[in-house]
mmCIF file of all heavy atoms in Angstrom:
data_model
loop_
_atom_site.group_PDB
_atom_site.id
_atom_site.type_symbol
_atom_site.label_atom_id
_atom_site.label_comp_id
_atom_site.label_asym_id
_atom_site.label_seq_id
_atom_site.Cartn_x
_atom_site.Cartn_y
_atom_site.Cartn_z
ATOM 1 N N VAL A 1 2.360 0.792 -4.147
ATOM 2 C CA VAL A 1 2.289 -0.280 -5.126
ATOM 3 C C VAL A 1 3.543 -0.293 -5.969
ATOM 4 O O VAL A 1 4.175 0.760 -6.209
ATOM 5 C CB VAL A 1 1.054 -0.156 -6.044
ATOM 6 C CG1 VAL A 1 -0.228 -0.419 -5.305
ATOM 7 C CG2 VAL A 1 1.024 1.194 -6.730
ATOM 8 N N GLY A 2 3.932 -1.478 -6.396
ATOM 9 C CA GLY A 2 5.092 -1.620 -7.273
ATOM 10 C C GLY A 2 4.697 -2.279 -8.566
ATOM 11 O O GLY A 2 3.522 -2.265 -8.970
ATOM 12 N N GLY A 3 5.670 -2.866 -9.249
ATOM 13 C CA GLY A 3 5.406 -3.497 -10.518
ATOM 14 C C GLY A 3 4.306 -4.545 -10.449
ATOM 15 O O GLY A 3 4.252 -5.346 -9.509
ATOM 16 N N GLY A 4 3.423 -4.552 -11.430
ATOM 17 C CA GLY A 4 2.358 -5.513 -11.485
ATOM 18 C C GLY A 4 1.231 -5.240 -10.485
ATOM 19 O O GLY A 4 0.319 -6.037 -10.320
ATOM 20 N N GLY A 5 1.293 -4.112 -9.781
ATOM 21 C CA GLY A 5 0.276 -3.781 -8.796
ATOM 22 C C GLY A 5 0.445 -4.515 -7.477
ATOM 23 O O GLY A 5 -0.512 -4.628 -6.700
ATOM 24 N N LEU A 6 1.657 -4.945 -7.182
ATOM 25 C CA LEU A 6 1.897 -5.666 -5.932
ATOM 26 C C LEU A 6 2.141 -4.658 -4.814
ATOM 27 O O LEU A 6 3.006 -3.785 -4.906
ATOM 28 C CB LEU A 6 3.114 -6.593 -6.076
ATOM 29 C CG LEU A 6 3.372 -7.522 -4.893
ATOM 30 C CD1 LEU A 6 2.213 -8.501 -4.705
ATOM 31 C CD2 LEU A 6 4.669 -8.303 -5.117
ATOM 32 N N ALA A 7 1.356 -4.819 -3.750
ATOM 33 C CA ALA A 7 1.466 -3.898 -2.587
ATOM 34 C C ALA A 7 2.132 -4.625 -1.426
ATOM 35 O O ALA A 7 1.785 -5.771 -1.133
ATOM 36 C CB ALA A 7 0.075 -3.426 -2.163
ATOM 37 N N PRO A 8 3.109 -4.002 -0.759
ATOM 38 C CA PRO A 8 3.735 -4.633 0.409
ATOM 39 C C PRO A 8 2.735 -4.871 1.519
ATOM 40 O O PRO A 8 1.676 -4.207 1.596
ATOM 41 C CB PRO A 8 4.770 -3.586 0.847
ATOM 42 C CG PRO A 8 4.977 -2.709 -0.349
ATOM 43 C CD PRO A 8 3.671 -2.668 -1.067
ATOM 44 N N ALA A 9 3.047 -5.807 2.386
ATOM 45 C CA ALA A 9 2.162 -6.160 3.506
ATOM 46 C C ALA A 9 1.903 -4.958 4.388
ATOM 47 O O ALA A 9 2.728 -4.043 4.511
ATOM 48 C CB ALA A 9 2.753 -7.302 4.307
ATOM 49 N N MET A 10 0.753 -4.980 5.056
ATOM 50 C CA MET A 10 0.353 -3.862 5.918
ATOM 51 C C MET A 10 1.130 -3.828 7.222
ATOM 52 O O MET A 10 1.121 -2.820 7.920
ATOM 53 C CB MET A 10 -1.149 -3.950 6.202
ATOM 54 C CG MET A 10 -2.014 -3.847 4.983
ATOM 55 S SD MET A 10 -3.741 -4.236 5.322
ATOM 56 C CE MET A 10 -4.166 -2.953 6.491
ATOM 57 N N ASN A 11 1.786 -4.931 7.588
ATOM 58 C CA ASN A 11 2.473 -4.993 8.882
ATOM 59 C C ASN A 11 3.892 -5.505 8.766
ATOM 60 O O ASN A 11 4.453 -6.022 9.727
ATOM 61 C CB ASN A 11 1.682 -5.876 9.857
ATOM 62 C CG ASN A 11 1.492 -7.281 9.319
ATOM 63 O OD1 ASN A 11 1.868 -7.563 8.167
ATOM 64 N ND2 ASN A 11 0.934 -8.163 10.120
ATOM 65 N N GLY A 12 4.518 -5.388 7.603
ATOM 66 C CA GLY A 12 5.877 -5.888 7.408
ATOM 67 C C GLY A 12 6.915 -4.792 7.510
ATOM 68 O O GLY A 12 6.665 -3.681 7.998
ATOM 69 N N LEU A 13 8.101 -5.121 7.005
ATOM 70 C CA LEU A 13 9.233 -4.203 7.054
ATOM 71 C C LEU A 13 8.950 -2.906 6.295
ATOM 72 O O LEU A 13 9.179 -1.797 6.828
ATOM 73 C CB LEU A 13 10.478 -4.871 6.457
ATOM 74 C CG LEU A 13 11.731 -4.015 6.313
ATOM 75 C CD1 LEU A 13 12.218 -3.495 7.650
ATOM 76 C CD2 LEU A 13 12.842 -4.818 5.620
ATOM 77 N N THR A 14 8.421 -3.030 5.098
ATOM 78 C CA THR A 14 8.123 -1.814 4.306
ATOM 79 C C THR A 14 7.131 -0.934 5.008
ATOM 80 O O THR A 14 7.289 0.296 5.057
ATOM 81 C CB THR A 14 7.605 -2.214 2.908
ATOM 82 O OG1 THR A 14 8.682 -2.844 2.174
ATOM 83 C CG2 THR A 14 7.146 -0.984 2.125
ATOM 84 N N ALA A 15 6.064 -1.539 5.556
ATOM 85 C CA ALA A 15 5.068 -0.760 6.262
ATOM 86 C C ALA A 15 5.660 -0.047 7.461
ATOM 87 O O ALA A 15 5.290 1.107 7.790
ATOM 88 C CB ALA A 15 3.913 -1.653 6.718
ATOM 89 N N GLY A 16 6.616 -0.683 8.126
ATOM 90 C CA GLY A 16 7.303 -0.043 9.265
ATOM 91 C C GLY A 16 8.081 1.197 8.832
ATOM 92 O O GLY A 16 8.024 2.242 9.498
ATOM 93 N N TRP A 17 8.775 1.088 7.722
ATOM 94 C CA TRP A 17 9.484 2.259 7.215
ATOM 95 C C TRP A 17 8.505 3.356 6.767
ATOM 96 O O TRP A 17 8.742 4.542 7.013
ATOM 97 C CB TRP A 17 10.381 1.859 6.037
ATOM 98 C CG TRP A 17 11.655 1.161 6.411
ATOM 99 C CD1 TRP A 17 12.000 -0.114 6.102
ATOM 100 C CD2 TRP A 17 12.753 1.694 7.140
ATOM 101 N NE1 TRP A 17 13.249 -0.406 6.599
ATOM 102 C CE2 TRP A 17 13.732 0.698 7.245
ATOM 103 C CE3 TRP A 17 13.002 2.940 7.729
ATOM 104 C CZ2 TRP A 17 14.961 0.891 7.898
ATOM 105 C CZ3 TRP A 17 14.227 3.125 8.395
ATOM 106 C CH2 TRP A 17 15.166 2.116 8.473
ATOM 107 N N LEU A 18 7.405 2.938 6.133
ATOM 108 C CA LEU A 18 6.422 3.950 5.675
ATOM 109 C C LEU A 18 5.843 4.726 6.851
ATOM 110 O O LEU A 18 5.578 5.930 6.732
ATOM 111 C CB LEU A 18 5.338 3.290 4.831
ATOM 112 C CG LEU A 18 5.743 2.784 3.460
ATOM 113 C CD1 LEU A 18 4.537 2.092 2.772
ATOM 114 C CD2 LEU A 18 6.251 3.915 2.573
ATOM 115 N N ARG A 19 5.612 4.046 7.970
ATOM 116 C CA ARG A 19 5.100 4.770 9.132
ATOM 117 C C ARG A 19 6.071 5.855 9.584
ATOM 118 O O ARG A 19 5.641 6.933 10.029
ATOM 119 C CB ARG A 19 4.828 3.781 10.276
ATOM 120 C CG ARG A 19 3.526 2.973 10.093
ATOM 121 C CD ARG A 19 3.151 2.240 11.383
ATOM 122 N NE ARG A 19 4.065 1.172 11.689
ATOM 123 C CZ ARG A 19 3.973 -0.077 11.219
ATOM 124 N NH1 ARG A 19 2.978 -0.394 10.395
ATOM 125 N NH2 ARG A 19 4.833 -1.000 11.580
ATOM 126 N N LEU A 20 7.359 5.583 9.492
ATOM 127 C CA LEU A 20 8.339 6.602 9.867
ATOM 128 C C LEU A 20 8.327 7.781 8.886
ATOM 129 O O LEU A 20 8.723 8.882 9.246
ATOM 130 C CB LEU A 20 9.746 5.989 9.928
ATOM 131 C CG LEU A 20 9.961 4.948 11.019
ATOM 132 C CD1 LEU A 20 11.422 4.483 11.006
ATOM 133 C CD2 LEU A 20 9.616 5.507 12.397
ATOM 134 N N ALA A 21 7.890 7.503 7.662
ATOM 135 C CA ALA A 21 7.795 8.580 6.662
ATOM 136 C C ALA A 21 6.476 9.346 6.776
ATOM 137 O O ALA A 21 6.323 10.390 6.145
ATOM 138 C CB ALA A 21 7.923 7.992 5.270
ATOM 139 N N GLY A 22 5.546 8.825 7.578
ATOM 140 C CA GLY A 22 4.262 9.515 7.782
ATOM 141 C C GLY A 22 3.117 8.944 6.978
ATOM 142 O O GLY A 22 2.141 9.644 6.690
ATOM 143 N N TYR A 23 3.209 7.640 6.615
ATOM 144 C CA TYR A 23 2.159 7.008 5.847
ATOM 145 C C TYR A 23 1.752 5.672 6.471
ATOM 146 O O TYR A 23 2.583 4.971 7.064
ATOM 147 C CB TYR A 23 2.619 6.741 4.404
ATOM 148 C CG TYR A 23 2.993 7.982 3.648
ATOM 149 C CD1 TYR A 23 4.331 8.331 3.489
ATOM 150 C CD2 TYR A 23 2.013 8.810 3.081
ATOM 151 C CE1 TYR A 23 4.683 9.472 2.765
ATOM 152 C CE2 TYR A 23 2.367 9.961 2.391
ATOM 153 C CZ TYR A 23 3.699 10.287 2.227
ATOM 154 O OH TYR A 23 4.059 11.414 1.537
ATOM 155 N N THR A 24 0.468 5.311 6.338
ATOM 156 C CA THR A 24 -0.030 4.024 6.784
ATOM 157 C C THR A 24 -0.448 3.208 5.579
ATOM 158 O O THR A 24 -1.342 3.640 4.839
ATOM 159 C CB THR A 24 -1.239 4.211 7.747
ATOM 160 O OG1 THR A 24 -0.827 4.966 8.870
ATOM 161 C CG2 THR A 24 -1.749 2.850 8.214
ATOM 162 N N GLN A 25 0.170 2.079 5.403
ATOM 163 C CA GLN A 25 -0.159 1.222 4.253
ATOM 164 C C GLN A 25 -1.544 0.634 4.415
ATOM 165 O O GLN A 25 -1.842 -0.004 5.442
ATOM 166 C CB GLN A 25 0.909 0.104 4.117
ATOM 167 C CG GLN A 25 0.654 -0.878 2.997
ATOM 168 C CD GLN A 25 0.973 -0.313 1.610
ATOM 169 O OE1 GLN A 25 1.126 0.904 1.453
ATOM 170 N NE2 GLN A 25 1.087 -1.194 0.631
ATOM 171 N N GLN A 26 -2.432 0.849 3.454
ATOM 172 C CA GLN A 26 -3.826 0.438 3.585
ATOM 173 C C GLN A 26 -4.117 -0.988 3.172
ATOM 174 O O GLN A 26 -5.118 -1.573 3.603
ATOM 175 C CB GLN A 26 -4.713 1.369 2.747
ATOM 176 C CG GLN A 26 -4.900 2.760 3.303
ATOM 177 C CD GLN A 26 -5.930 3.545 2.528
ATOM 178 O OE1 GLN A 26 -5.672 4.007 1.424
ATOM 179 N NE2 GLN A 26 -7.102 3.690 3.086
ATOM 180 N N GLN A 27 -3.285 -1.542 2.327
ATOM 181 C CA GLN A 27 -3.587 -2.858 1.765
ATOM 182 C C GLN A 27 -2.301 -3.555 1.389
ATOM 183 O O GLN A 27 -1.307 -2.928 1.026
ATOM 184 C CB GLN A 27 -4.458 -2.686 0.519
ATOM 185 C CG GLN A 27 -4.816 -3.963 -0.225
ATOM 186 C CD GLN A 27 -5.606 -3.700 -1.500
ATOM 187 O OE1 GLN A 27 -6.179 -2.628 -1.669
ATOM 188 N NE2 GLN A 27 -5.630 -4.682 -2.391
ATOM 189 N N GLY A 28 -2.331 -4.900 1.466
ATOM 190 C CA GLY A 28 -1.195 -5.681 1.035
ATOM 191 C C GLY A 28 -1.607 -6.680 -0.017
ATOM 192 O O GLY A 28 -2.807 -6.981 -0.186
ATOM 193 N N GLY A 29 -0.637 -7.186 -0.754
ATOM 194 C CA GLY A 29 -0.931 -8.191 -1.770
ATOM 195 C C GLY A 29 -1.200 -7.577 -3.133
ATOM 196 O O GLY A 29 -1.059 -6.369 -3.324
ATOM 197 N N PRO A 30 -1.650 -8.376 -4.099
ATOM 198 C CA PRO A 30 -1.910 -7.872 -5.439
ATOM 199 C C PRO A 30 -3.108 -6.889 -5.412
ATOM 200 O O PRO A 30 -4.115 -7.125 -4.743
ATOM 201 C CB PRO A 30 -2.283 -9.126 -6.237
ATOM 202 C CG PRO A 30 -1.765 -10.256 -5.452
ATOM 203 C CD PRO A 30 -1.813 -9.827 -3.998
ATOM 204 N N VAL A 31 -2.959 -5.785 -6.132
ATOM 205 C CA VAL A 31 -4.019 -4.788 -6.226
ATOM 206 C C VAL A 31 -4.542 -4.799 -7.650
ATOM 207 O O VAL A 31 -3.794 -4.583 -8.602
ATOM 208 C CB VAL A 31 -3.465 -3.375 -5.886
ATOM 209 C CG1 VAL A 31 -4.552 -2.320 -6.066
ATOM 210 C CG2 VAL A 31 -2.935 -3.342 -4.474
ATOM 211 N N ALA A 32 -5.854 -5.036 -7.786
ATOM 212 C CA ALA A 32 -6.465 -5.039 -9.119
ATOM 213 C C ALA A 32 -6.634 -3.589 -9.569
ATOM 214 O O ALA A 32 -7.072 -2.730 -8.783
ATOM 215 C CB ALA A 32 -7.795 -5.752 -9.090
ATOM 216 N N MET A 33 -6.319 -3.324 -10.832
ATOM 217 C CA MET A 33 -6.467 -1.966 -11.342
ATOM 218 C C MET A 33 -7.905 -1.475 -11.192
ATOM 219 O O MET A 33 -8.155 -0.330 -10.823
ATOM 220 C CB MET A 33 -6.054 -1.930 -12.809
ATOM 221 C CG MET A 33 -6.115 -0.566 -13.467
ATOM 222 S SD MET A 33 -4.892 0.615 -12.832
ATOM 223 C CE MET A 33 -3.395 -0.074 -13.525
ATOM 224 N N GLU A 34 -8.882 -2.385 -11.441
ATOM 225 C CA GLU A 34 -10.271 -1.991 -11.348
ATOM 226 C C GLU A 34 -10.650 -1.577 -9.916
ATOM 227 O O GLU A 34 -11.378 -0.613 -9.718
ATOM 228 C CB GLU A 34 -11.160 -3.179 -11.803
ATOM 229 C CG GLU A 34 -11.015 -3.578 -13.264
ATOM 230 C CD GLU A 34 -9.784 -4.399 -13.535
ATOM 231 O OE1 GLU A 34 -9.076 -4.804 -12.564
ATOM 232 O OE2 GLU A 34 -9.501 -4.648 -14.742
ATOM 233 N N ALA A 35 -10.121 -2.330 -8.927
ATOM 234 C CA ALA A 35 -10.411 -1.980 -7.538
ATOM 235 C C ALA A 35 -9.782 -0.665 -7.156
ATOM 236 O O ALA A 35 -10.369 0.136 -6.420
ATOM 237 C CB ALA A 35 -9.912 -3.102 -6.609
ATOM 238 N N LEU A 36 -8.599 -0.408 -7.663
ATOM 239 C CA LEU A 36 -7.915 0.854 -7.376
ATOM 240 C C LEU A 36 -8.682 2.033 -7.963
ATOM 241 O O LEU A 36 -8.824 3.082 -7.333
ATOM 242 C CB LEU A 36 -6.505 0.796 -7.944
ATOM 243 C CG LEU A 36 -5.567 1.957 -7.639
ATOM 244 C CD1 LEU A 36 -5.398 2.116 -6.129
ATOM 245 C CD2 LEU A 36 -4.214 1.752 -8.294
ATOM 246 N N LEU A 37 -9.201 1.865 -9.176
ATOM 247 C CA LEU A 37 -9.949 2.928 -9.822
ATOM 248 C C LEU A 37 -11.296 3.167 -9.106
ATOM 249 O O LEU A 37 -11.772 4.282 -9.007
ATOM 250 C CB LEU A 37 -10.200 2.596 -11.304
ATOM 251 C CG LEU A 37 -8.932 2.503 -12.173
ATOM 252 C CD1 LEU A 37 -9.307 2.012 -13.568
ATOM 253 C CD2 LEU A 37 -8.228 3.825 -12.244
ATOM 254 N N ALA A 38 -11.904 2.080 -8.603
ATOM 255 C CA ALA A 38 -13.193 2.193 -7.933
ATOM 256 C C ALA A 38 -13.073 2.834 -6.555
ATOM 257 O O ALA A 38 -13.958 3.541 -6.085
ATOM 258 C CB ALA A 38 -13.849 0.831 -7.817
ATOM 259 N N SER A 39 -11.930 2.563 -5.885
ATOM 260 C CA SER A 39 -11.721 3.097 -4.534
ATOM 261 C C SER A 39 -10.296 3.599 -4.379
ATOM 262 O O SER A 39 -9.436 2.952 -3.755
ATOM 263 C CB SER A 39 -12.030 2.021 -3.504
ATOM 264 O OG SER A 39 -11.890 2.521 -2.191
ATOM 265 N N PRO A 40 -10.015 4.766 -4.922
ATOM 266 C CA PRO A 40 -8.645 5.272 -4.906
ATOM 267 C C PRO A 40 -8.224 5.698 -3.495
ATOM 268 O O PRO A 40 -9.014 6.246 -2.739
ATOM 269 C CB PRO A 40 -8.692 6.471 -5.845
ATOM 270 C CG PRO A 40 -10.118 6.895 -5.890
ATOM 271 C CD PRO A 40 -10.918 5.644 -5.685
ATOM 272 N N PRO A 41 -6.961 5.474 -3.143
ATOM 273 C CA PRO A 41 -6.446 5.874 -1.834
ATOM 274 C C PRO A 41 -6.174 7.378 -1.811
ATOM 275 O O PRO A 41 -6.010 7.986 -2.860
ATOM 276 C CB PRO A 41 -5.172 5.085 -1.697
ATOM 277 C CG PRO A 41 -4.674 4.956 -3.116
ATOM 278 C CD PRO A 41 -5.906 4.799 -3.961
ATOM 279 N N PRO A 42 -6.128 7.975 -0.629
ATOM 280 C CA PRO A 42 -5.784 9.409 -0.562
ATOM 281 C C PRO A 42 -4.406 9.718 -1.159
ATOM 282 O O PRO A 42 -4.213 10.717 -1.832
ATOM 283 C CB PRO A 42 -5.828 9.727 0.933
ATOM 284 C CG PRO A 42 -6.647 8.638 1.525
ATOM 285 C CD PRO A 42 -6.426 7.418 0.698
#
């Protein structure tokens, strides 16, 4: 997540780089703070 809770797309350029780093992006688009607190990622 970045500023304002914006998450990069799950299948875009950023997600491709993250896979090379050993991570799978779970969600794209705006992330609500409440949703993040209710279901935190690993």
Side-chain angles (χ1 to χ4, degrees):
V1 290
L6 188 63
M10 298 170 63
N11 58 354
L13 174 61
T14 293
W17 283 115
L18 289 178
R19 282 192 292 273
L20 295 183
Y23 299 101
T24 300
Q25 179 75 345
Q26 287 188 285
Q27 177 184 342
V31 177
M33 182 68 71
E34 295 78 7
L36 186 58
L37 296 174
S39 182

